[in-house]
Amino acid sequence: MAKIFTGTNISLCILFQCALSMVAPEISHAEGVSPEIPPNATAKRYGTGWECDRSFREVDRACTAVFVPDNAYSTNSSYGVGWQCNRGYKKNGETCVAVVLPANAYLSASTGDIWKCERGYREINDGCEVIAVPANGYLTESTYGSGWTCERGYRAVDGACSAISVPANGYITDSYADSGWRCDRGYRALAGACVAIAVPAHGYLSNSTYGPGWACDRGYRVDGLSCVAVELPQNAHLNFSGNDWNCNEPYRRQERGCVMDSRNE
């Protein structure tokens, strides 16, 4: 069947063709435009846009050369100055100057722009001075303190390692914060000696460093230097420690006995 065009259809068609003819050149022009890449730049491998070549950085939509001083290399970074000094050099303003190594020093492995002293030496007055280790001492890995410590059985006194005098019934400790020795079990330090702990009947040695060094068995309590039996009043039982008593429910403690709680009478 032949398609019949009316006057209205012809008018609409003409208007559509005119609008299309006006828009088409703009679309064609937009599709043909590619982003302008400035000198010393390259199109990004992924996505759109461009990025400056190595040794250049973006400034006002252009790629400006990064000035790299002698003994340095370009970092190709958009942050900082854009360059880094070679190993063995350090930044000094806009230049790289050589790191001066004092005797008995070496360049830091992590940064390469600072130095550290060899083992057996320590930094003093911009140099590395030998650590004087006294007899019966040895070097430590610490950068603080004297740089040495004493062998077991000795302690530091006025820059030397002095032998620790251990009394009878005592032993050397690994901690030198105190005297450097402690007493064997069953003894306690008193005036530089280890004195036997007198444990009373119904008592036993305790591990506590405080008090008399002993405690009473369950069912006994401390009374001066002795252990006496805990007297249980009626309606009472030994408490958790075993050295005192509590009242049974529903009784309440009153002086030396257990009385009925008034709320339960």
Side-chain angles (χ1 to χ4, degrees), residues 4 16 25 43-44 62 76 80 93 95 99-102 106 129 140 170 175 201 206 208 210 242 254 257:
I4 299 175
F16 177 76
K44 291 183 178 180
N76 201 33
T95 63
V99 177
V100 179
L101 287 177
Y106 62 95
E129 295 188 8
T140 65
S175 173
S206 69
S208 176
Y210 304 97
Q254 185 176 19

Side-chain angles (χ1 to χ4, degrees), residues 19-154:
L20 183 62
S21 64
M22 294 175 64
V23 175
E26 296 296 331
I27 297 175
S28 175
H29 176 71
E31 289 178 348
V33 172
S34 59
E36 184 178 354
I37 300 177
N40 304 308
T42 307
K44 291 183 178 180
R45 295 181 60 185
Y46 304 100
T48 59
W50 51 268
E51 56 189 2
C52 292
D53 297 335
R54 188 173 183 85
S55 298
F56 292 85
R57 66 193 323 177
E58 183 179 343
V59 178
D60 296 331
R61 300 298 296 168
C63 290
T64 304
V66 175
F67 170 74
V68 181
D70 293 337
N71 303 307
Y73 60 92
S74 173
T75 60
N76 201 33
S77 172
S78 58
Y79 302 96
V81 296
W83 53 269
Q84 186 79 28
C85 292
N86 294 334
R87 178 173 174 80
Y89 292 83
K90 62 181 179 180
K91 190 174 182 295
N92 183 20
E94 298 299 321
T95 63
C96 291
V97 296
V99 177
V100 179
L101 287 177
N104 305 305
Y106 62 95
L107 282 174
S108 168
S110 57
T111 61
D113 60 352
I114 60 174
W115 54 266
K116 295 182 179 181
C117 292
E118 299 281 359
R119 176 173 169 79
Y121 296 83
R122 66 188 328 169
E123 182 179 347
I124 298 177
N125 298 327
D126 295 327
C128 293
E129 295 188 8
V130 65
I131 298 174
V133 182
N136 303 305
Y138 61 93
L139 289 170
T140 65
E141 301 299 328
S142 176
T143 56
Y144 303 97
S146 62
W148 55 268
T149 191
C150 294
E151 301 280 359
R152 180 174 173 83
Y154 294 83

